[in-house]
């Protein structure tokens, strides 16, 4: 079966480094713009009645060399192998991702959402409404002690540097940094630089504190 993108996403995550590890963790807005072939107003009819939607998308930047039954999840430091179907690794047989995001508004053939864990330019293959009565499982449990790896960092961001970022993007950037953008196997105090919108944000991490060193 051949599938084609119905839309592409637009946001401030210009590189893989810094993209939230899961959906719903960062409230930064993104735009999902339908491709011309799918710009029929009837296709979106009724979607405005839902608060959240599912996105089925492609790991367009993940390069694989055939099927691998095991992967090294970044959340486990990249040192432990797990079955590919027991992870959300981008290195999958069909390189498909699944995310739930909050639907903020629909403007013509563009959807504004928050909570996306997708890089700018990621292809979207399908959109489906999120149904709380069927899609939410409150009693579900995590596998391999994922909760142990959910610690957030305290972000120290000098006011003069923070002012460089437009006010409507500041909270999203702070939330992204608090998630610790570094690869999980890195624990040193080197200076890291993350692309965010039109800016390069440099920071160091010491223990549970992230210090922003520069924004340019």
């Amino acid at each position: 079966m051949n599938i084609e993108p119905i839309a592409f996403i637009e946001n401030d995550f210009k590189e893989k480094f810094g993209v939230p590890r899961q959906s719903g963790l960062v409230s930064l807005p993104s735009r999902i713009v339908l491709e011309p072939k799918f710009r029929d107003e009837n296709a979106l009819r009724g979607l405005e009645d839902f608060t959240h939607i599912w996105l089925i998308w492609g790991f367009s930047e993940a390069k694989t060399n055939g099927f691998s039954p095991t992967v090294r999840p970044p959340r486990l430091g990249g040192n432990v192998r797990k079955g590919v179907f027991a992870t959300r690794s981008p290195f999958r047989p069909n390189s498909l991702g699944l995310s739930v995001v909050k639907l903020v508004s629909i403007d013509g053939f563009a959807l504004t959402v928050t909570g996306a864990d997708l890089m700018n330019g990621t292809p979207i293959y399908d959109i489906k409404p999120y149904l709380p009565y069927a899609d939410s499982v409150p009693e579900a449990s995590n596998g391999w002690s994922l909760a142990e790896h959910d610690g957030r960092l305290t972000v120290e961001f000098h006011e003069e540097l923070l002012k460089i970022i437009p006010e409507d993007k500041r909270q999203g950037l702070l939330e992204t940094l608090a998630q610790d953008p570094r690869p999980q196997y890195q624990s040193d105090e080197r200076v890291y630089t993350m692309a965010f919108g039109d800016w390069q944000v440099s920071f160091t991490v010491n223990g549970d504190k992230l210090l922003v060193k520069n924004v340019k």
Side-chain angles (χ1 to χ4, degrees):
M1 179 179 67
N2 294 322
I3 60 175
E4 60 181 311
I6 64 166
F8 287 86
I9 198 164
E10 300 174 354
N11 59 29
D12 288 305
F13 298 115
K14 307 299 184 181
E15 300 175 354
K16 289 188 292 184
F17 181 68
V19 174
R21 293 186 175 90
Q22 302 292 341
S23 60
L25 298 180
V26 175
S27 58
L28 195 72
S30 297
R31 293 179 78 242
I32 298 170
V33 182
L34 292 179
E35 287 289 272
K37 178 179 178 179
F38 301 99
R39 292 179 184 177
D40 186 320
E41 60 184 15
N42 293 309
L44 297 174
R45 184 189 302 170
L47 192 63
E48 71 278 2
D49 296 330
F50 295 89
T51 62
H52 293 73
I53 56 176
W54 288 104
L55 303 178
I56 300 174
W57 49 279
F59 287 103
S60 53
E61 296 298 308
K63 309 304 179 185
T64 61
N65 294 315
F67 172 63
S68 175
T70 62
V71 294
R72 301 178 187 269
R75 272 315 235 182
L76 294 182
N79 299 315
V80 179
R81 282 197 172 274
K82 295 289 183 181
V84 63
F85 301 129
T87 75
R88 296 191 177 188
S89 167
F91 303 104
R92 322 188 64 77
N94 290 307
S95 297
L96 292 177
L98 177 69
S99 300
V100 63
V101 296
K102 182 177 182 180
L103 178 60
V104 177
S105 63
I106 301 175
D107 182 16
F109 300 110
L111 285 63
T112 298
V113 302
T114 59
D117 54 342
L118 286 69
M119 190 177 78
N120 180 65
T122 295
I124 308 295
Y125 293 113
D126 204 357
I127 297 170
K128 298 176 183 288
Y130 177 89
L131 306 178
Y133 79 91
D135 296 339
S136 177
V137 187
E139 67 273 18
S141 61
N142 287 328
W144 30 277
S145 302
L146 275 171
E148 297 177 6
H149 302 271
D150 289 339
R152 293 185 176 229
L153 300 177
T154 299
V155 179
E156 298 181 357
F157 209 134
H158 193 278
E159 184 176 355
E160 292 305 312
L161 290 177
L162 188 59
K163 285 181 179 178
I164 298 174
I165 306 297
E167 188 172 355
D168 62 338
K169 298 181 184 291
R170 293 174 192 171
Q171 185 60 33
L173 175 58
L174 291 171
E175 292 172 355
T176 301
L177 294 171
Q179 294 292 326
D180 192 352
R182 301 175 301 166
Q184 290 298 295
Y185 52 81
Q186 298 286 3
S187 59
D188 55 27
E189 297 180 28
R190 76 178 72 178
V191 177
Y192 292 86
T193 300
M194 183 185 82
F196 181 78
D198 297 327
W199 306 273
Q200 298 289 322
V201 181
S202 299
F203 63 90
T204 59
V205 178
N206 185 355
D208 61 354
K209 292 184 179 180
L210 184 150
L211 173 63
V212 176
K213 306 284 287 186
N214 196 17
V215 177
K216 60 182 181 179

